[in-house]
Structure formats: C-alpha cells, structure tokens
Amino acid sequence: MSDLTLKTLTHHHKSDKDIFFQIDTFISQLKRRQITGSNDVGMATAHLLVRFVSAARWTHIDSLISDLRLLGKRLIAAQPREFACGNMVRRVLALIREEIHGNNENGIDNKGLSSSSPLITSMFNLLSTEDKSIETANNEKKTGRDLKPYIIEGIQELIEEIRNIEDSIAGMSVEMIHENEVLLTPSPNSKTVLEFLRRASQKRKFSVLVTESFPNETEIAHAFAKKLAKAGIETVIIPDSSVYAVMSRVGKVIVGARTVLANGGCISASGIALACEAAKNHKTPVLAVTGVYKLSPLYPFDVESLIEVGNTGKVVDFSDKDMVENVEVMNPTYDYVAPENIDIYVTNIGGYSPSFIYRLVLDHYSSEDNKL
Amino acid sequence: MLLVFKSVIRDYDTPSGTTLSRNLTAYLSHQIDYLVTARPLSVSMGNAIRWLKREISIINIDTSDTVAKRELQSLIDTFIKEKIEASGQVIVQSAAQNINDGDVLLTFARSEVVKQTFVEAHSQGKQFRVIVVDSRPLHEGKKLVSELASEGIKCTYILINALSYVMSDVTTVFLGAHAMFANGLLYSRVGSALVATSAKSRNIPVLVLCESIKFSDRVQFDAVTLNELSSPDALLNISINSNSRNDTLSPALRDWRDVANLNILNVLYDLTPAEAIKKIVSEVGNLPPSSVPVILREYKSDYNA
C-alpha cells in the first residue's frame, strides 16, 4: 500500500527525492512515538507540508489535492491516534479548495454568468454526474500553478497559529478566573493549561489543585505543580482519587484536550473524564483550553477505537508473578470526555460551547476531506 | 480494639473507695485517649466504645468485681460475634444473592465483606467477572485482586483513572463502607464517591455493604469539613508498589517542602451522595440510604431498654 502511494506521489515529484526521505523519516518518527503530543505533531506536520507543497510540481491543482490526501492517509495510518497530522492536512486541503473556489468565482464573475457552465442550484445538482466534469473543466482552466505561494503562505500562517496558540488562549484567562478562586486541573501534561494559569496569575491570586494522573504522567504532574508554585500560584497536589472529595471547594475545572471531536466531546489524558464527571455532579464549570488545530472533523461513533491502551507495566510490576499470570490489567492512556461534561472550549479564536464545535469544524475543514 | 479492652478489663482492679461501674469508664477513657493520639477513632470504634461504656454503667453496684469483669468479658465476646462476625456473614449471604451469572462486578479499594461476598458467590458456582479499581497511594485493591484471583475468580485490575474506560461493561458496583452517616451519605475510602457517582450516571446500581455498627448519627455534607489526613510523603513515592522496598521518589518533589506555595493533600476518605447509592446491604436487611437514621433510632431504643 505504502509503495503504491509512493509511486503515485513520485509521478508528480520526479525531480525531488529529498521530500520522500523527509516523509518517510516523519512517518517512522510517528510510528516510534519519537514525536508525540498534538502540539509537536501538528507543528512537524505543518513544516512537512510546507516542504511538500514547495517541492510539488503539478500540472493540475487536483493532482496536488489527491497527493496531499494520499500523504494524509499515510500519516494517519502511521499513528491513527495522533489526530493532529490528519487535522493539519485537512486544514491545508481546505485552504487550497478555498483558493480554487475563490479563483473560480472570480472567473465566473469575469465572464459573467453567461459562461458555458451555468450555476446549477437545483436538487438535480446532487444527482447529476456531469456536474463533476463541469467542475473539473473549470479547474483545468486554472492549473493552479500560480496558487503555490498562496498555499505556502497559508501553511506558514498555520504554523504561526500553532506557535502562538498558548499566547492567544492565555490572553483570555483573566476573564475566566476570579480573585481567590480555587481551580482544579487534571491535565498536568498540557502546555496550554500551564500558560493559561501562569498568565492569569499575573493579574489574579488563586490556588490550583493538580491531580497526579497516575500512572502515566505522575512525574510530569509533579513537575507541573512545581512550575506553578514557582510562578507564585498556591498549588496543591492531590491523588486522582480525591477529585470528588475536594470538588465541593473547586470553582472551576480546567482541562487540556488532545483532540476536540466534531460533536463537542474531546479526547484527553486518562482520568480527565472522571474529573469532568465529578465536576458535573457538583455543577462546577469545566473549561477546556485548546487550540483550533486540535479540532477534528471526526465523530466518536466508536469511542474505544479512539482510546489508546498503554503499558500495563505501569500499573502492575511485571515481577509480580501472581498478578501478571492471573489478573487482567488495563492501562488506557486517553479518555473520552462527553460534550455534556464540558461547559466551554476556550480556543485561540474565542470561547465556544461544545454544541457549537461542529460549526467551527465546518469553518476550518472542507467536508469532502473528512475521510481522506 | 475490643479484644484489647477485654484484656484491660481483665487486668483491671477497682481502686478502693469507688465502684467498678463508676471508675472503669474513666479508666478506659485513658486508653481510648491513647488510641486517639495514634489515629482518629473510626465510627465503628466509637460505636463499640459507647456500647461498652453503657454496659459498664448499667452493671449493678452490688455485683462483685470478679463477677462484673467476667460478665463484661463475655459481653464483649458476644458483641464481637454478633455485631462484627455474624453480621458480616449475614451481609455476605444476602449480598451474594445480588450476583448473577454473567455479571461484571466492580469494586473499589479493598473491603473484607465485599471480598467474602465475591468468594461466596463464586463458591455457589456463579459465573462472573470482577473489576477491581485501585488508587494511589495505598494500593489496597492490589491485595484484594490477588486474593480473589487465588480463589479462581476472573479479575481485572485497573487504576481509578481508567474507570470511565471500563464502566460501560459493569452491571453492579459493590462498595465497602467506613461509615454510613445519618443523612444517608457513605463515608468510605477516597475515590468511592467517584466510582459511585460515575456508576449512577450510567444507571448502574451501587450496593454498599455495611454492618450496622458502622452507622453513625453524624451528619456531614462534604468530605472537606471532617476527614482524616494522611501523610503527604506517601505521595512522593511514584513506584507502583506501595511497600517501601522499592520506593522511587518523584524527582520533582524531592525538595517540595522548600518550595513556597507547593502543598500536598492526601485525604483518606470521601463522601458519596445518598442519591448514588441504590441500597445498603446490612445485617438488619437491605435498606435505602434514607433508612440509616431509622436503624440508628431502633438501636438507641434497644440500648435504652
């Protein structure tokens, strides 16, 4: 499969062997988990896409689109649960389609509506087969070669967006946190949460409860708590089990997300779903802080397929013979948080309720790319 | 504790100029104070002490010391048998009826009655699977899961963070109790409330197995107001084994006491809301949480009679 893909791609990239080397390196890095976390993966994918597009030579913009789709497919296959690569590819595809669309519209405007391809707006449009050929014919007129700088510029903007994500989200923190509030965060692995809290601490005085997220991120959690304390925030480390016990004192729960799904739910580190549920039981608001690049157009029809199950050696010592032999041990690394357990998504483009996420998805992706 | 009191009573001599029924209570109070310095009294201990004091106080002044002491010792024996051992067995028998073939049961941390219930149902030939949920830093569930597995019961062991991943398979949740409060709330190992409310939101029944000696007339709303604190240093060890043999200290927390603003909170218990509890299985029958004060009242009138 991957050979076939490569061959198809080579067709359009005869002169540039270098880019394939980079793609393969990235894919193996993904597979070996040398690059993980949506931020790093998103960034790396975006950089790869810049190189890919600049190396690409196309006679027709459709071939670039199909190349990109193939690339996206390969990246997703390499690590199906790193949603950021798929998201980035889709963003770029949407960008290209928008450019084409814009161009076409201009074309039509120039020619007036008397051109050979009338705007069909009736229901027949959905069923007719010749419609596609009209569109392709239209595209053929614009080979899209002149689009290259626009596309690359678009991807550069994406990279800039990811780079500044913490900044733009953290800017909203002061509006969200009030003086002397007690916050709880079950996602100590999130850079965005850290920045959010740090920024808020410049203007507000509050305390933060940090859960340990045992066993996968305990060390990170401890280090996270220390960073907060060093930033002058009153910080308390609590075991994951005491989330409910302290929830009655908590003003807001702040979580990070790995991926935000189109239904408004999200995939996060394990333990977060439980904390959000406890928060819901106490009617405590839950803020999910996330960059728009983490939005995924997927729906969680099969939650289990989205969750990764990790190393059970972190739960039970492999030297514990009786346990290893007789007991089934599980260690899921992610959690699915249902949309009803999240109150607001704080993103770099503003705050949104989970029920509005599908709209943002429509804004940022083109629906024909949902399945690459 | 009661066994200790028994030997205290055996070794006790009434000082001259006073009577056993007046003086022994005061004498015991010192021992109790000493116990409290070690750990706060549990509800069941408090209840037992209250019962013992009452028994002492109603001893006839004319009874000779030897007779009274013998009587008290045998009373303590029956109390242990009735309230702790027999009630446990009654609960086990009655709770095991709630287990059916093909069930997936879930329990949190480790409770002796819960364990015996599973073992009993297993010995009755019922086919079921148990998910044991555990948490840091005590890892009590690990002991339970190895005990169950050695009985031949199919077990799954997870940590509390993985709870929402397995919850959808579960048919019934069994919880042990540290105490039941008069307003129907369950006071139990920290994390129980998470398990119970999470089950409740998925319409999975939650059973609490609790001897009536653990019923308390205390009322409380949340776990923060009154709780037992455990050592913060227990959280420094990030190894999965709670025994100190292979401790791994968290690198970030080595010097946590020197970092201003950094604290560690390690409470032992939490409160489960009454709504999350389907029923309480006790030796006096299956009750809804709202019946806890009823039982308490019945017992009080028992004592007063």
Side-chain angles (χ1 to χ4, degrees), chain A residues 228-270:
Chain A
L228 285 181
K230 290 245 165 89
I233 303 169
E234 190 74 32
T235 311
V236 184
I237 298 173
I238 57 168
D240 307 300
S241 51
S242 29
V243 169
Y244 196 94
V246 297
M247 194 54 87
S248 54
R249 293 293 178 277
V250 172
K252 276 175 197 91
V253 176
I254 297 177
V255 305
R258 282 181 59 86
T259 308
V260 181
L261 302 163
N263 70 336
C266 69
I267 302 287
S268 291
S270 89

Side-chain angles (χ1 to χ4, degrees), chain A residues 6-251:
Chain A
L6 203 63
K7 214 182 272 171
T8 336
L9 289 176
T10 324
H11 183 66
H12 302 289
H13 291 83
K14 273 182 192 123
S15 57
D16 207 331
K17 288 274 180 286
D18 190 37
I19 185 74
F20 297 113
F21 178 70
Q22 286 176 357
I23 293 174
D24 285 337
T25 317
F26 183 54
I27 285 179
S28 39
Q29 276 173 332
L30 277 177
K31 282 187 177 163
R32 292 184 201 128
R33 290 164 201 276
Q34 284 162 331
I35 304 183
T36 53
S38 23
N39 196 313
D40 296 347
V41 171
M43 202 59 145
T45 316
H47 281 299
L48 184 75
L49 286 171
V50 171
R51 281 185 227 116
F52 186 82
V53 173
S54 33
R57 273 165 254 279
W58 63 84
T59 47
H60 191 290
I61 192 74
D62 278 356
S63 65
L64 176 69
I65 291 180
S66 64
D67 276 1
L68 275 171
R69 285 172 67 111
L70 277 174
L71 174 67
K73 229 182 210 164
R74 283 189 67 192
L75 294 183
I76 292 172
Q79 196 56 265
R81 292 180 193 94
E82 286 292 358
F83 299 91
C85 12
N87 293 348
M88 291 318 288
V89 175
R90 287 188 188 105
R91 281 286 286 273
V92 172
L93 282 170
L95 197 119
I96 296 172
R97 285 178 201 278
E98 204 174 300
E99 291 286 347
I100 299 171
H101 190 66
N103 269 2
N104 278 349
E105 259 179 9
N106 289 341
I108 290 166
D109 280 351
N110 291 343
K111 280 178 255 165
L113 285 176
S114 60
S115 74
S116 59
S117 59
L119 277 177
I120 307 170
T121 45
S122 72
M123 285 284 278
F124 294 114
N125 195 354
L126 300 170
L127 301 170
S128 78
T129 44
E130 93 196 285
D131 196 42
K132 196 142 197 175
S133 65
I134 292 171
E135 200 186 301
T136 339
N138 240 345
N139 286 355
E140 255 158 41
K141 280 172 201 149
K142 314 269 157 204
T143 52
R145 206 167 293 170
D146 46 332
L147 282 179
K148 200 178 211 176
Y150 294 106
I151 299 171
I152 291 176
E153 194 187 332
I155 305 177
Q156 297 289 9
E157 272 169 25
L158 260 178
I159 294 176
E160 213 44 42
E161 180 193 315
I162 302 181
R163 193 168 288 145
N164 297 329
I165 220 103
E166 266 97 40
D167 223 38
S168 36
I169 296 175
M172 290 179 69
S173 63
V174 180
E175 298 165 32
M176 300 287 168
I177 297 171
H178 65 69
E179 194 72 15
N180 287 328
E181 190 161 24
V182 180
L183 306 171
L184 183 140
T185 174
S187 32
N189 201 10
S190 166
K191 260 186 264 171
T192 325
V193 173
L194 181 66
E195 254 345 282
F196 187 80
L197 294 173
R198 264 195 197 149
R199 180 72 75 86
S201 74
Q202 293 165 1
K203 292 251 176 73
R204 302 262 192 276
K205 201 174 156 43
F206 55 90
S207 45
V208 180
L209 305 171
V210 181
T211 68
E212 293 192 294
S213 20
F214 192 74
N216 298 316
E217 287 166 0
T218 319
E219 274 177 61
I220 299 169
H222 289 166
F224 175 87
K226 205 168 170 183
K227 275 183 214 155
L228 285 181
K230 290 245 165 89
I233 303 169
E234 190 74 32
T235 311
V236 184
I237 298 173
I238 57 168
D240 307 300
S241 51
S242 29
V243 169
Y244 196 94
V246 297
M247 194 54 87
S248 54
R249 293 293 178 277
V250 172

Side-chain angles (χ1 to χ4, degrees), chain A residues 212 222 235 237 314 328, chain B residues 136 157 240 250 261 263 265:
Chain A
E212 293 192 294
H222 289 166
T235 311
I237 298 173
K314 287 185 171 176
E328 187 192 357
Chain B
R136 235 165 83 79
Y157 178 77
I240 35 182
S250 168
N261 297 325
N263 296 296
L265 178 71

